[in-house]
Every structure is written in structure tokens, then in C-alpha cells.
Amino acid sequence: MRFDIITCLPRLLDSPFSHSILKRAIDKGLTEVHVHDLRDYSPSKHRQTDDYPYGGGAGMVMMIEPIHRIISKLKEERPYDAVVYMTPDGLTLNQKMANSYSLLKNIIILCGHYKGVDERVREKYITHEVSIGDYVLSGGELAAAVFADAIIRLIPGVLSDETSALTDSFQDDLLSPPVYTRPAEFIGMKVPEVLLSGHEKNIELWRMEQALERTKSRRPDLYDKQHVAKPNIS
Ligand code: SAM
């Protein structure tokens, strides 16, 4: 799976893809992440990518021409399944969306800055608009990194068995159960007995109960979905 991320601040994306699971996924050839400096596609000699808003008001707006140039160039090189604009007024990212995006092959991600992009970019080039939550960041780079991370960890082979994404929160609309590691007792705090028992069935049952309990108390909205989804077997 290939990501082409368009930004006017490419250095902001150096770190997220240079460590841990995402780096290993890239090193193993399970994903490719290409970061493009939008300024390289500016027609102006000062590499300008933004300008004053028509109608006045605070903040700058990202111009259409550099974005047109880079997206057209990328599309000439290969087909894309999605051209995503990171934006606070997009569809709020959730696990199901990440699951669906993880099935795609080539994705362009456009990071906004300042007041955002000229609306004509959204009309002409953008196929999907994604928000990472109801708050406003300074730029789309951190949002793009969050979006790509949520997707890349779902690509088969990226996570080892022990950290399988299938047991993470939100798969099946459940939060994860609590986890423990050594020591079995620390300043009087003990690991639940069942996890030390070696009894696989009981451990599985305990984890399911804990996941349901945690979902019920922390995310009643998700817990209610469980009730709707589960057949009444009594
Ligand atoms: N004027 C815009 C608004 O109020 O919707 C906010 C622009 S914001 C300062 C600059 C850029 O950061 C946006 O174009 C977008 O790419 C990115 N951004 C900010 N918050 C985001 C969020 N919650 N999710 C995704 N991207 C976000």
C-alpha cells in the first residue's frame, strides 16, 4: 500500500515514519510513504503556496495551482483509490474507516495549513475528507500521520501476532480488556489470578467480561450497539 503525502512542511513528517512499527512496515516493504514538498510545485520563484483570502479576513489560503500540479503529476504516474484532504470538517476517523482504507492500494493525503485550501481544490481533486476529531490543529501533518498510522498497522504482516490489531479497542465495537505483565505482585497490587492460571478458556472468558464491563462504563454508546448486534439467546 502506497501513501503520497502532500505538505508545505515535509520535515514535520520525518519522525512519525522513522520509528517503531511504521518504520518496520516501510523497511519490510509492506507500505511506502512518500512525502512531497508542495513548495516544489509552486509556479512562483519564491516557492509561494498560499495567498490572501478573497473577501478579506484573517489568515492565508493555500493556492490551487501548486496542488493541481502535484496531484496531476502523481495521477499520471499511477491510479489512486482515494485523494484525502485532512480537515476538521471531514468525516471523523474511526476504526471502521481505518479498516476500509487499509484495503486500498494507493492513497494521496493532502495536508492543509493556515485557513485551509482554496475550496476549488476540494471540489475538483478531493475524493474523501477526514477529520481526526473535533478540535483544530495548526496543520494537517499530524492528522495525516495519525490517519496513516491507523491504516498501516492493519496491513497484514505489519503487526506481530502478539499485538494483533484484531484484539485492539473498537474492533467489534468493544474496548480492550486490561493487560498486565511481570511482576505478578508489585507494592501489594496483584495481577488477577485467572491470568496466572494457564487456563485458556477462563482467560478468554475473563477478557471478554472485562472488555464488556469497560465498554459499558466508559463508552455506553458502543455498549448499546453490542446489545443491538447480539442475538437474544435466553
Ligand atoms: N479554518 C479551518 C477550519 O476552521 O475548519 C481550520 C484550518 S487548520 C488551522 C489548518 C489545517 O490543519 C487544515 O486545513 C487541516 O488540514 C488541518 N487540521 C486541523 N484540524 C484538523 C483535524 N481535526 N483533523 C484533520 N485535519 C485537521
Side-chain angles (χ1 to χ4, degrees):
M1 180 169 193
R2 176 184 169 117
F3 294 84
D4 287 276
I5 307 181
I6 302 170
T7 166
C8 51
L9 289 168
R11 297 300 305 274
L12 274 181
L13 286 161
D14 283 352
S15 180
F17 300 104
S18 311
H19 303 278
S20 185
I21 289 171
L22 299 191
K23 179 181 188 305
R24 282 204 299 277
I26 293 167
D27 290 347
K28 282 203 238 167
L30 296 169
T31 187
E32 284 178 43
V33 178
H34 301 267
V35 177
H36 305 273
D37 187 344
L38 188 59
R39 294 182 197 281
D40 293 342
Y41 296 84
S42 167
S44 88
K45 75 169 189 277
H46 299 297
R47 294 161 55 82
Q48 185 184 351
T49 55
D50 59 301
D51 211 334
Y52 293 99
Y54 277 123
M60 302 295 273
V61 175
M62 289 173 68
M63 296 187 294
I64 190 168
E65 187 166 357
I67 297 171
H68 157 78
R69 287 183 171 201
I70 169 76
I71 291 182
S72 305
K73 177 181 168 281
L74 289 171
K75 281 182 162 177
E76 273 167 24
E77 290 166 359
R78 69 195 60 75
Y80 284 90
D81 304 305
V83 182
V84 180
Y85 176 46
M86 304 311 302
T87 175
D89 61 5
L91 213 55
T92 308
L93 183 62
N94 61 32
Q95 192 60 44
K96 286 193 176 58
M97 283 163 69
N99 291 348
S100 310
Y101 280 106
S102 74
L103 303 174
L104 303 184
K105 198 157 176 269
N106 301 320
I107 300 181
I108 292 175
I109 304 176
L110 174 63
C111 305
H113 246 277
Y114 320 111
K115 291 302 279 181
V117 296
D118 185 312
E119 189 65 20
R120 292 167 293 183
V121 169
R122 300 171 75 160
E123 286 164 12
K124 184 152 177 68
Y125 300 107
I126 302 302
T127 60
H128 300 68
E129 300 191 322
V130 175
S131 162
I132 62 159
D134 288 349
Y135 43 83
V136 176
L137 302 166
S138 312
E141 291 74 16
L142 298 181
V146 167
F147 179 55
D149 183 322
I151 297 169
I152 291 171
R153 68 198 306 285
L154 298 170
I155 298 172
V158 169
L159 295 185
S160 55
D161 269 359
E162 312 88 74
T163 49
S164 168
L166 293 176
T167 59
D168 281 340
S169 290
F170 305 113
Q171 298 290 3
D172 299 330
D173 289 323
L174 273 181
L175 300 183
S176 257
V179 291
Y180 299 85
T181 187
R182 289 185 292 180
E185 184 172 346
F186 184 71
I187 52 171
M189 296 185 295
K190 290 183 179 164
V191 169
E193 205 62 51
V194 64
L195 296 178
L196 309 175
S197 69
H199 194 300
E200 275 183 33
K201 264 257 156 315
N202 286 353
I203 293 172
E204 200 185 313
L205 197 66
W206 180 86
R207 286 189 172 140
M208 178 50 83
E209 282 166 6
Q210 291 290 318
L212 282 166
E213 192 50 51
R214 190 161 273 207
T215 310
K216 187 177 178 185
S217 62
R218 296 182 185 202
R219 290 293 303 270
D221 56 320
L222 291 182
Y223 185 77
D224 288 346
K225 280 196 204 169
Q226 290 290 322
H227 266 24
V228 172
K230 265 199 282 181
N232 187 353
I233 47 169
S234 61

